[in-house]
């Protein structure tokens, strides 16, 4: 029999069909058998299904081949689909004929393996149902970000990855030898978007950003996918509204299309419902300090940045994200605009996820006063050379503008309820891991 001309269905399509003849292809997810029957749970990009190979039906020669199948061997098969409540997805295929496409060596991943081993074998662990579910959700999150901003009339705009200056603090820069010079991997697209908004007005991107943060935590990567937006004529409230709007849209899309995946990874989806249905909590930094003191007994001196512990305490007080605004200027980046009538705080906002997942978004209205910008850079110990192009953006018809950056893996990790951000990206990069 030739398998080349068959109309293969995905396993999901076959399950929807329910009964009848099917042709399937995929990989061995599990196998067990006796001298007469071989049970193969077949996996493809969509689902799993039990297939049974009967010696009496396929003959001795074929059955010997079936008996040698190991986990992850690839197969094509035809058979009769029936309902069977005992099978993992409620169906079974009684195999008429099969063909081994690729034999498998003994698969190195067995049950209960350590997280480090699974990271060493990430190129194979990607085949796990957990990673499959998480990365499908990730794809929906990316699509939903684009959908939201396309729908709002924003256009996608790209910045260089090799950049000559810092934007988010010199200590987390990755220097790169660039012929005779040194450049840095992008920490953000922002400063280039600030040039772009004077032409296109409303911009967004999704691109890798790099942070040389030495700390190994459950929420930091050295390379992450950064979804950013920037627009002309913004006001501080509008920036927060877009942040809330896009997070709601991403969560809504995941809830609409990934109930199965959420169940598979054990995520309690009801925890995400309020994020879509209720307004986010908005409070100033000053209010956050008050709340931390009154409700959590934490006394933070004014002027200190909120640390992970404080953010986590705050996040547990609500079932929706919190937007904290008007941070002390001293803890925030040089480009954030001073608040109206108060030079000690800036119009910057951090979005703090629920359930202790930390900062999802950092954004601000941008400083347009050149003297203030230069002073803040100098206060940070920066050399103004290299920022000329940025200063020039303010010299020809400057307008109020602003935007934010959202960490895609932070969002995926939170939506999926993951233990570590490393499982929110196919091949994570951290201070101690750069392979595979
Ligand atoms: O708060 P950050 O540093 O803000 C900026 O980079 C601005 N230039 C963005 C802008 O206004 N266009 O980073 C933005 C977001 C954070 O809120 C966080 O979600 C994520 O990027 N992020 C990281 N995600 C994973 N690993 C890291 N090391 C991250 N650092 C920041
Ligand atoms: Mg930040």
């Amino acid at each position: 029999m030739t398998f080349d001309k068959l109309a293969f269905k995905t396993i999901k399509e076959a399950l929807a069909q329910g009964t009848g003849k099917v042709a399937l292809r995929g990989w061995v997810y599990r196998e067990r058998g006796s001298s007469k029957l071989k049970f193969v749970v077949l996996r493809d990009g969509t689902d799993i299904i039990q297939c049974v190979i009967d010696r009496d039906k396929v003959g001795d020669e074929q059955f010997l081949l079936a008996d040698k199948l190991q986990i992850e061997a690839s197969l094509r098969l035809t058979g009769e689909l029936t309902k069977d409540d005992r099978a993992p997805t409620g169906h079974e295929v009684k195999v008429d004929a099969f063909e081994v496409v690729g034999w498998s060596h003994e698969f190195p991943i067995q049950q209960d393996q350590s997280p480090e081993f699974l990271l060493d074998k990430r190129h194979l662990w990607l085949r796990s149902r957990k990673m499959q579910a998480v990365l499908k959700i990730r794809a929906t999150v990316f699509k939903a970000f684009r959908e939201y901003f396309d729908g709002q009339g924003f256009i996608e705009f790209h910045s260089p990855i090799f950049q000559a200056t810092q934007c988010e603090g010199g200590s987390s820069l990755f220097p790169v030898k660039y012929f005779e010079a040194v450049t840095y991997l992008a920490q953000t697209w922002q400063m280039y978007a600030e040039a772009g908004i004077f032409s296109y007005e409303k911009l967004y991107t999704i691109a890798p950003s790099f942070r040389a943060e030495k700390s190994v935590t459950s929420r930091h990567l050295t390379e992450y996918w950064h979804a950013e937006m920037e627009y002309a004529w913004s006001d501080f409230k509008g920036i927060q509204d877009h942040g809330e709007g896009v997070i709601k849209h991403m969560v809504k899309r995941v809830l609409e299309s990934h109930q199965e995946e959420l169940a598979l990874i054990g995520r309690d989806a009801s925890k995400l419902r309020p994020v879509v249905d209720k307004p986010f909590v908005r409070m100033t930094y000053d209010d956050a300090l008050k709340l931390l003191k009154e409700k959590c007994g934490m006394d933070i001196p004014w002027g200190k940045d909120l640390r992970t512990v404080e953010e986590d305490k705050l996040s547990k007080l609500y079932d929706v994200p919190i937007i904290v605004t008007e941070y002390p200027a001293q803890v925030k980046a040089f480009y954030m605009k001073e608040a109206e009538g108060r030079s000690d705080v800036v119009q910057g906002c951090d979005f703090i996820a629920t359930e202790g997942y930390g900062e999802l978004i950092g954004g601000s209205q941008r400083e347009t006063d050149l003297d203030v910008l230069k002073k803040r850079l100098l206060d940070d110990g920066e050399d103004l050379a290299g920022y000329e192009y940025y200063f020039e953006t303010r010299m020809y018809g400057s307008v109020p503008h602003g935007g934010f950056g959202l960490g895609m893996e932070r969002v995926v990790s939170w939506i999926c309820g993951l233990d570590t951000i490393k499982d929110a990206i196919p091949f994570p990069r951290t201070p101690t891991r750069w392979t595979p």
Side-chain angles (χ1 to χ4, degrees):
M1 124 147 248
T2 170
F3 285 81
D4 289 336
K5 299 251 157 59
L6 293 175
F8 290 97
K9 289 220 154 95
T10 67
I11 293 175
K12 202 174 220 60
E13 287 165 348
L15 292 171
Q17 176 184 318
T19 57
K21 289 267 177 235
V22 279
L24 299 174
R25 58 191 165 192
W27 294 261
V28 176
Y29 179 65
R30 278 199 294 263
E31 51 79 24
R32 69 189 161 84
S34 64
S35 57
K36 211 179 119 20
L37 291 176
K38 176 87 175 179
F39 291 90
V40 168
V41 177
L42 194 73
R43 166 186 76 70
D44 72 2
T46 65
D47 214 321
I48 59 172
I49 192 166
Q50 177 164 294
C51 305
V52 56
I53 301 168
D54 185 339
R55 185 171 207 141
D56 291 344
K57 202 160 188 181
V58 298
D60 287 347
E61 199 180 320
Q62 280 291 94
F63 193 79
L64 277 179
L65 290 180
D67 206 34
K68 282 199 227 138
L69 284 173
Q70 299 203 84
I71 286 177
E72 291 305 325
S74 50
L75 297 183
R76 301 198 284 192
L77 60 83
T78 61
E80 183 77 23
L81 183 62
T82 57
K83 298 214 187 279
D84 187 332
D85 290 340
R86 293 161 304 174
T89 40
H91 292 76
E92 187 176 84
V93 179
K94 301 203 182 323
V95 176
D96 293 326
F98 71 92
E99 173 193 60
V100 179
V101 179
W103 290 99
S104 179
H105 295 242
E106 194 175 336
F107 200 59
I109 302 175
Q110 327 251 309
Q111 256 168 23
D112 301 323
Q113 236 125 15
S114 73
E116 275 312 303
F117 181 79
L118 294 179
L119 284 164
D120 289 340
K121 298 288 178 202
R122 183 50 82 81
H123 49 292
L124 300 176
W125 184 236
L126 286 181
R127 304 179 186 201
S128 65
R129 301 205 80 205
K130 175 186 168 177
M131 286 306 298
Q132 214 187 42
V134 170
L135 295 184
K136 280 183 189 170
I137 291 171
R138 175 183 166 101
T140 295
V141 167
F142 274 60
K143 191 166 153 191
F145 186 91
R146 289 209 168 86
E147 228 169 46
Y148 176 87
F149 282 108
D150 287 342
Q152 300 277 336
F154 282 64
I155 67 165
E156 191 162 345
F157 178 81
H158 300 113
S159 71
I161 296 291
F162 293 127
Q163 297 185 6
T165 66
Q166 64 87 39
C167 183
E168 299 300 331
S171 64
S172 68
L173 283 172
F174 273 113
V176 183
K177 190 170 170 315
Y178 195 78
F179 306 107
E180 301 310 313
V182 174
T183 62
Y184 307 98
L185 295 181
Q187 293 173 311
T188 171
W189 148 105
Q190 181 190 322
M191 290 167 78
Y192 294 91
E194 285 188 68
I197 53 110
F198 291 96
S199 177
Y200 315 100
E201 298 199 24
K202 297 159 92 175
L203 304 177
Y204 75 85
T205 197
I206 309 181
S209 276
F210 303 86
R211 304 284 168 104
E213 274 155 324
K214 286 245 172 62
S215 48
V216 177
T217 78
S218 62
R219 53 178 80 153
H220 288 91
L221 296 165
T222 50
E223 174 178 338
Y224 70 97
W225 285 78
H226 201 172
E228 299 182 82
M229 65 82 107
E230 189 78 25
Y231 67 112
W233 313 106
S234 68
D235 59 36
F236 188 38
K237 179 176 176 296
I239 294 166
Q240 295 168 53
D241 291 346
H242 277 307
E244 177 165 349
V246 75
I247 289 177
K248 280 188 150 63
H249 188 67
M250 293 189 292
V251 172
K252 180 168 157 267
R253 281 286 188 248
V254 171
L255 289 176
E256 280 166 4
S257 36
H258 292 295
Q259 287 299 329
E260 254 174 59
E261 284 78 11
L262 291 168
L264 201 142
I265 57 181
R267 176 59 160 146
D268 178 358
S270 70
K271 292 233 167 86
L272 296 169
R273 209 55 252 178
V275 178
V276 180
D277 295 339
K278 291 167 58 179
F280 291 7
V281 170
R282 301 186 187 200
M283 67 175 78
T284 62
Y285 167 90
D286 290 358
D287 289 339
L289 290 198
K290 243 185 256 160
L291 206 62
L292 281 166
K293 190 162 183 183
E294 284 163 13
K295 293 248 166 91
C296 315
M298 296 171 104
D299 205 355
I300 317 298
W302 195 93
K304 282 236 165 206
D305 203 359
L306 298 181
R307 295 169 304 166
T308 303
V309 272
E310 285 110 30
E311 287 181 351
D312 289 359
K313 286 276 185 212
L314 279 178
S315 83
K316 305 237 159 101
L317 300 174
Y318 301 97
D319 59 1
V320 292
I322 308 165
I323 309 175
V324 181
T325 60
E326 273 111 12
Y327 279 82
Q330 68 215 57
V331 302
K332 288 295 183 193
F334 72 95
Y335 53 72
M336 293 194 185
K337 190 175 174 58
E338 287 177 0
E340 306 281 336
R342 247 187 108 173
S343 66
D344 59 337
V345 301
V346 287
Q347 295 184 10
C349 52
D350 281 1
F351 285 53
I352 307 186
T354 56
E355 303 170 73
Y357 276 87
E359 182 190 321
L360 301 175
I361 284 183
S364 78
Q365 188 74 353
R366 314 306 187 195
E367 187 56 73
T368 45
D369 185 313
L370 267 181
D371 293 330
V372 175
L373 271 178
K374 287 180 183 167
K375 178 170 182 318
R376 292 200 54 199
L377 277 167
L378 289 170
D379 288 348
D380 287 348
E382 288 296 317
D383 180 352
L384 299 187
Y387 295 92
E388 274 86 11
Y389 85 91
Y390 187 67
F391 300 144
E392 281 194 21
T393 63
R394 309 302 204 251
M395 287 166 57
Y396 307 95
S398 188
V399 295
H401 66 281
F404 64 68
L406 172 154
M408 286 303 225
E409 289 77 16
R410 294 267 177 99
V411 169
V412 172
S413 181
W414 165 62
I415 289 180
C416 293
L418 301 177
D419 291 337
T420 165
I421 196 168
K422 287 182 275 196
D423 288 346
I425 186 167
F427 295 99
R429 295 291 179 257
T430 71
T432 54
R433 178 167 293 282
W434 52 91
T435 62

